[in-house]
Amino acid sequence: MALAIFDLDNTLIGNDSDFLWGEFLVKNGHVDAKEFAKQNAQFYEDYKAGTLDIIAYQRFALKPLGEQSAETLAKWHKEFMQTFIEPIVLPKALALVEEHKAKGDRVMIITATNTFVTRPIGERYGITELLGTEGEIVNGRYTGEIAGVPTFQKGKVTRLNEWLKQENETLEGSFFYSDSFNDLPLLEIVDHPVVVDGDDKLLAIARQKNWPCISLR
């Protein structure tokens, strides 16, 4: 049994769930449309450029969660899944997850996106083990702050190492599937790095390192 790790955004799904959640909030009038959309788009460009301030972004992303009850957020997320996520679920990605499960591999997602947005998406893929950026919750409500280390760039490695120790697991025979050069720290420590619909920077590195490149689109 090996560990099969998947990035989520633009790897298992055909877009970025963090960005789309912001689009959902704007479309449905849950936030100030003009200002929120502008900031959301800029943070996404920063992410693609590798210059994202993850703390600033997560505070921006978590702020609307703190303004609503858990019941309201659950209702919103159900609608989000139906209208924004279901259309970008990738059949080839679902099949790859099932292929690893059939081999007896332990399957998990590690994503920079917060777990409120991503956990239901993981469950849609039949994956219950997920490491994502955690929003701080006090008295049942999000505070708008981050709890612990964000799962971004080297933070993915930090959180994974904590999980490996806790679960008494190793990276022997491990896989990691990702589209983004932001995930280089984790790609470099697994036994089987796989580039999925990679960005230009990651594809150039993959060619140098002779990493396999696939498409799930």
Side-chain angles (χ1 to χ4, degrees), residues 59-70:
R59 284 175 174 160
F60 165 78
L62 292 167
K63 184 177 183 293
L65 304 185
E67 297 169 351
Q68 305 298 329
S69 68

Side-chain angles (χ1 to χ4, degrees), residues 23 34 38 92 168 180:
E23 292 287 286
K34 185 177 180 180
K38 179 183 176 182
K92 288 183 179 180
N168 196 29
S180 175

Side-chain angles (χ1 to χ4, degrees), residues 106-125:
R106 191 168 183 179
V107 180
M108 73 182 303
I109 290 171
I110 303 184
T111 174
T113 304
N114 69 70
T115 56
F116 167 77
V117 169
T118 56
R119 193 169 298 284
I121 304 173
E123 290 170 356
R124 171 65 177 84
Y125 278 78

